[in-house]
Amino acid sequence: MPLYLRRLAEVFIHDNGKVHVMSNTRCGHTSMRKYFGFEEIPRSHDASWDKWINSTSRRVVVLRNPIDRWKSAEVFMNISWFKHIGPKNGMDKDTFLRGHREPFLINIPRDISFEIIPFENLSDYLPWGNRTIPSHVHISEVEITEELEEEITQYQYFRKNCKVISPEEWKQLTP
């Protein structure tokens, strides 16, 4: 199992029998959960990752620029429950940021065929959640670690080589 799934409890992975979607934190996962009618985010474990990898349904990933995702976690932390309530369930700010910025694309094998929903177009596919924060960040605003650089490379590869599922196709295959 990829390490990020051990660390992130809020990855949304769901198969409706037609599409098997994966949406990570800060990538519209709450919007996706609500779209499919889940009250809570189903917890992701080995089984759901394995099912996504081996799915016979059309695999779809909500693909967000890792730099925008990185900044979105910071913005969300500053306007969300941390600002008003403070740490929750033993999660301090560093743990929150790490969990919401953790690279995940580097764990998806390039030989797995899947389609993408570009995050910046997510509202064409489903309603934005109230916690979804679009952001466009300049690379100079982010400290580029080796791991983030790998994530950016993987993002660029998937963006170039994966088919974008159209909003019309998506709506025909989902609620």
Side-chain angles (χ1 to χ4, degrees):
M1 171 176 72
L3 291 177
Y4 84 91
L5 285 177
R6 290 191 192 119
R7 291 184 287 236
L8 291 179
E10 294 192 9
V11 175
F12 180 82
I13 301 176
H14 174 66
D15 186 357
N16 74 353
K18 297 176 185 174
V19 293
H20 204 152
V21 66
M22 176 171 45
S23 184
N24 209 336
T25 55
R26 308 309 322 143
C27 296
H29 75 295
T30 302
S31 300
M32 196 62 71
R33 167 187 56 90
K34 289 179 181 179
Y35 181 75
F36 281 103
F38 287 93
E39 207 46 47
E40 294 291 323
I41 296 172
R43 299 301 179 204
S44 298
H45 302 288
D46 291 344
S48 57
W49 171 256
D50 289 341
K51 285 179 183 175
W52 186 83
I53 290 287
N54 297 306
S55 183
T56 57
S57 298
R58 289 171 70 173
R59 285 184 295 269
V60 176
V61 172
V62 179
L63 193 66
R64 186 174 192 177
N65 183 316
I67 295 171
D68 289 342
R69 182 173 175 253
W70 187 93
K71 187 66 174 181
S72 174
E74 182 178 285
V75 170
F76 182 71
M77 180 187 69
N78 290 328
I79 64 170
S80 71
W81 50 267
F82 267 110
K83 185 173 183 177
H84 303 288
I85 300 170
K88 184 177 178 182
N89 298 329
M91 186 185 304
D92 61 18
K93 287 183 179 183
D94 289 338
T95 303
F96 175 87
L97 282 174
R98 194 170 42 254
H100 285 73
R101 291 179 173 169
E102 193 71 42
F104 72 102
L105 298 174
I106 58 177
N107 295 303
I108 301 174
R110 287 186 176 187
D111 63 347
I112 298 293
S113 175
F114 61 90
E115 296 167 88
I116 61 171
I117 294 175
F119 176 80
E120 63 272 15
N121 300 332
L122 187 61
S123 65
D124 295 340
Y125 295 80
L126 48 92
W128 285 112
N130 61 349
R131 294 171 32 178
T132 303
I133 302 170
S135 60
H136 300 286
V137 180
H138 189 272
I139 197 165
S140 65
E141 296 179 55
V142 178
E143 178 187 345
I144 305 295
T145 63
E146 186 177 320
E147 193 173 46
L148 183 54
E149 191 172 323
E150 287 179 51
E151 186 80 346
I152 293 166
T153 299
Q154 192 78 325
Y155 166 79
Q156 291 168 338
Y157 175 85
F158 291 143
R159 192 63 196 242
K160 181 181 177 186
N161 293 292
C162 293
K163 177 186 179 271
V164 174
I165 187 171
S166 73
E168 296 75 27
E169 288 176 286
W170 173 259
K171 289 172 185 173
Q172 288 175 356
L173 298 169
T174 62

